[in-house]
């Protein structure tokens, strides 16, 4: 009953001094809003990215020329750029020299291509990938129609293509694409299959691509580019052993001397997730600093409004003490009022933060999220602010002399 009565009194105090209360609640709301909106948006983006990484496969990893995220300034970027390109030949040698990998996918890519079918054409944004068959095995892409190309298609350099969902939607509105002939730039390909829809990551489609056999890609689009290898370990438990074997074999193939650093990068799902967290930690830190400043200001506001409340209710406190109320009763009542006042602002800030964070998520076409952990943390913070900044006014009220309080006008 004491808690409910104190919350009721806090509500009456807010209503009784609307402007003063609004300014007090605004500080709490801004503090919680700033941290919840950032954490909600980052959590939504992170979950979307983790889901995308998981599609690569828990027991897969990439070998590529450049790291997934480049840092360190121009010198570091120059160092990566000066590395020798990875080649399809090295990928084939890697497959021959290793025993653990279940598949060694090889891929070359060309971006910004136009795909045409009759009078229809795509925007110049299509990603063309030249791959071997192991690439499909490792990535486990799901087919929607037709078939993937085979080792025979690759060995005979057949000009066949498998289309991503976006390309199909753009070019083939009323007919099946399988069996039709498309043109990529000036080169013709027979469509033998289409992939199932994969969705988006951070608003970027994963379906705007065309896959063709690796030798055909080299013939039409050139060899002067670095390949990437998608390695599939036999199981998740053997991924480290597989990585060690691949690193050792590839160093030998590329002539890396003992003691020298690798001239290629190994990229795993865990590394990508860690690097994403590293990139976003400054956003989290910035949100925490803003929230801290806003909450300190809001706490001072709560202390001020509670001190005014104590002054305005001095006679009421005297009457309560005269009829037997103890210090701890008065202290508890005013602390609960301060916490309730803090919670009003906190709940507003959390609600606005959740809405704002998920608006960002919708804009980036990622899944909506409800960060329960940060909601709980937000409520704990508001409680602490209410207690810390409500104790002094509560102690002042509890220590009032009942006789002096009764005589207060």
């Amino acid at each position: 009953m004491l808690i409910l009565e104190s919350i009721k009194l806090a509500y009456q105090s807010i209503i009784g001094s609307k402007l003063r209360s609004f300014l007090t609640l605004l500080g709490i709301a801004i503090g919680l809003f700033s941290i919840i909106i950032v954490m909600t948006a980052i959590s939504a983006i992170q979950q979307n990215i983790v889901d995308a990484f998981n599609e690569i496969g828990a027991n897969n990893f990439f070998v590529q020329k450049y790291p997934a995220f480049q840092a360190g300034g121009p010198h570091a970027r120059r160092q990566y750029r000066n590395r020798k390109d990875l080649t399809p030949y090295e990928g084939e040698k890697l497959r021959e020299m290793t025993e653990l990998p279940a598949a060694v996918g090889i891929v070359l890519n060309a971006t910004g291509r136009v795909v045409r079918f009759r009078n229809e054409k795509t925007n110049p944004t299509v990603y063309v990938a030249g791959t071997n068959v192991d690439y499909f095995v490792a990535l486990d892409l799901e087919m929607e129609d037709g078939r993937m190309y085979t080792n025979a298609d690759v060995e005979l350099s057949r000009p066949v293509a498998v289309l991503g969902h976006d390309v199909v939607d753009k070019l083939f509105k009323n007919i099946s694409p399988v069996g039709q002939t498309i043109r990529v730039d000036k080169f013709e390909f027979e469509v033998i299959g289409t992939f199932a829809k994969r969705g988006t990551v951070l608003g970027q489609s994963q379906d705007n691509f065309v896959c063709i056999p690796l030798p055909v890609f080299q013939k039409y689009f050139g060899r002067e580019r670095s390949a990437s290898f998608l390695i599939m370990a036999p199981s998740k438990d053997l991924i480290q052993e597989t990585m060690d074997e691949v690193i050792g074999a590839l160093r030998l193939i590329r002539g890396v001397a003992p003691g020298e650093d690798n001239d290629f990068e190994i990229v795993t799902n865990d590394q990508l997730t860690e690097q994403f967290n590293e990139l976003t930690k400054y956003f989290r830190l910035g949100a925490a600093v803003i929230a801290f400043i806003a909450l300190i200001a809001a706490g001072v506001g709560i202390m001020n409004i509670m001190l005014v409340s104590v002054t305005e209710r001095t006679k009421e406190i005297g009457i309560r003490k005269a009829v037997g109320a103890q210090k701890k009763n008065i202290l508890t009542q005013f602390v609960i009022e301060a916490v309730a006042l803090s919670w009003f602002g906190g709940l507003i800030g959390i609600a606005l933060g959740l809405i704002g964070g998920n608006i960002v998520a919708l804009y980036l076409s990622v899944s909506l999220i409800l960060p329960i952990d940060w909601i709980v943390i937000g409520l704990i913070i508001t409680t602490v602010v209410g207690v810390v900044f409500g104790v002094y006014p509560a102690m002042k009220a509890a220590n009032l002399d009942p006789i002096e309080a009764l005589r207060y006008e």
Side-chain angles (χ1 to χ4, degrees):
M1 289 301 293
L2 176 61
I3 293 175
L4 292 177
E5 184 65 24
S6 297
I7 293 174
K8 182 180 177 182
L9 289 171
Y11 175 75
Q12 290 174 348
S13 177
I14 292 171
I15 296 300
S17 305
K18 293 183 177 62
L19 180 58
R20 185 175 63 193
S21 300
F22 171 76
L23 294 175
T24 303
L25 298 181
L26 187 62
I28 292 282
I30 290 173
L32 269 296
F33 169 79
S34 61
I35 197 165
I36 294 296
I37 187 174
V38 171
M39 298 309 174
T40 302
I42 289 178
S43 297
I45 294 168
Q46 184 175 26
Q47 185 59 52
N48 189 259
I49 288 177
V50 168
D51 291 343
F53 292 163
N54 288 338
E55 287 186 9
I56 297 173
N59 56 328
N60 290 347
F61 59 92
F62 275 104
V63 181
Q64 55 192 42
K65 179 178 178 178
Y66 296 96
F69 298 98
Q70 295 185 42
H75 175 73
R77 289 193 289 272
R78 191 181 308 115
Q79 175 190 347
Y80 300 134
R81 190 169 57 248
N82 290 339
R83 289 174 171 176
K84 295 185 298 183
D85 288 342
L86 293 164
T87 66
Y89 171 78
E90 291 173 341
E92 294 294 342
K93 289 291 291 182
L94 184 65
R95 188 164 60 170
E96 293 172 9
M97 293 176 60
T98 53
E99 296 180 356
L100 282 175
V104 178
I106 305 170
V107 59
L108 291 170
N109 65 78
T111 58
R113 304 294 166 162
V114 176
V115 183
R116 291 178 172 84
F117 172 68
R118 296 178 184 172
N119 295 324
E120 299 289 341
K121 68 176 182 178
T122 67
N123 293 326
T125 55
V126 177
Y127 172 98
V128 179
T131 74
N132 63 350
V133 174
D134 269 12
Y135 185 78
F136 295 130
V137 175
L139 201 53
D140 194 25
L141 291 173
E142 182 182 347
M143 298 297 295
E144 185 174 83
D145 194 13
R147 66 176 179 87
M148 297 179 185
Y149 42 81
T150 63
N151 283 322
D153 294 319
V154 174
E155 291 166 5
L156 296 173
S157 297
R158 289 172 178 153
V160 295
V162 186
L163 309 183
H165 203 273
D166 286 358
V167 180
V168 174
D169 285 348
K170 182 67 176 179
L171 301 181
F172 302 95
K173 296 182 171 58
N174 301 312
I175 60 174
S176 171
V178 177
Q180 304 297 332
T181 299
I182 62 169
R183 281 186 300 127
V184 181
D185 293 349
K186 60 183 179 179
F187 308 110
E188 292 189 346
F189 298 89
E190 179 190 353
V191 179
I192 60 172
T194 62
F195 292 111
K197 190 175 181 65
R198 301 174 67 200
T200 62
V201 175
L202 298 182
Q204 297 297 313
S205 174
Q206 299 185 85
D207 299 296
N208 196 31
F209 68 98
V210 173
C211 284
I212 61 177
L214 185 57
V216 179
F217 182 97
Q218 292 176 294
K219 177 182 176 182
Y220 290 164
F221 299 100
R223 300 170 181 268
E224 300 302 317
R225 61 190 78 228
S226 187
S228 295
F229 309 142
L230 178 59
I231 313 298
M232 181 180 183
S235 67
K236 191 173 182 181
D237 294 335
L238 291 174
I239 190 167
Q240 188 59 54
E241 289 87 343
T242 304
M243 287 171 59
D244 293 340
E245 185 183 29
V246 166
I247 291 170
L250 198 54
R251 285 176 64 90
L252 185 62
I253 292 167
R254 291 172 64 83
V256 180
E260 290 185 3
D261 293 336
N262 294 335
D263 61 351
F264 53 87
E265 296 291 328
I266 302 292
V267 181
T268 67
N269 289 351
D270 291 341
Q271 289 173 344
L272 291 171
T273 302
E274 289 173 9
Q275 287 173 326
F276 175 80
N277 290 337
E278 183 70 17
L279 287 173
T280 58
K281 73 178 183 180
Y282 298 106
F283 293 100
R284 300 172 193 266
L285 180 61
V289 169
I290 293 170
F292 177 77
I293 294 171
L295 290 173
I296 291 296
V300 172
I302 287 174
M303 182 183 292
N304 176 63
I305 199 172
M306 291 305 300
L307 286 171
V308 172
S309 179
V310 170
T311 301
E312 291 175 344
R313 293 159 59 187
T314 299
K315 195 164 188 176
E316 172 198 326
I317 295 168
I319 293 172
R320 291 193 62 193
K321 283 196 166 189
V323 296
Q326 299 179 359
K327 278 188 176 182
K328 64 179 181 180
N329 301 124
I330 304 296
L331 182 70
T332 301
Q333 177 187 338
F334 277 88
V335 169
I336 290 174
E337 283 189 38
V339 171
L341 190 64
S342 181
W343 265 55
F344 284 130
L347 290 173
I348 293 170
I350 290 171
L352 292 176
L354 289 173
I355 294 169
N358 281 302
I359 287 174
V360 174
L362 284 172
Y363 178 75
L364 294 174
S365 301
V366 303
S367 302
L368 301 183
I369 194 167
L370 187 66
I372 300 296
D373 51 346
W374 282 104
I375 293 175
V376 173
I377 290 171
L379 293 176
I380 292 172
I381 289 172
T382 58
T383 303
V384 170
V385 168
V387 171
V388 169
F389 289 94
V391 164
Y392 174 71
M395 290 180 63
K396 186 175 181 181
N399 290 326
L400 284 175
D401 182 271
I403 297 174
E404 294 296 326
L406 285 169
R407 291 166 54 186
Y408 183 83
E409 292 295 337

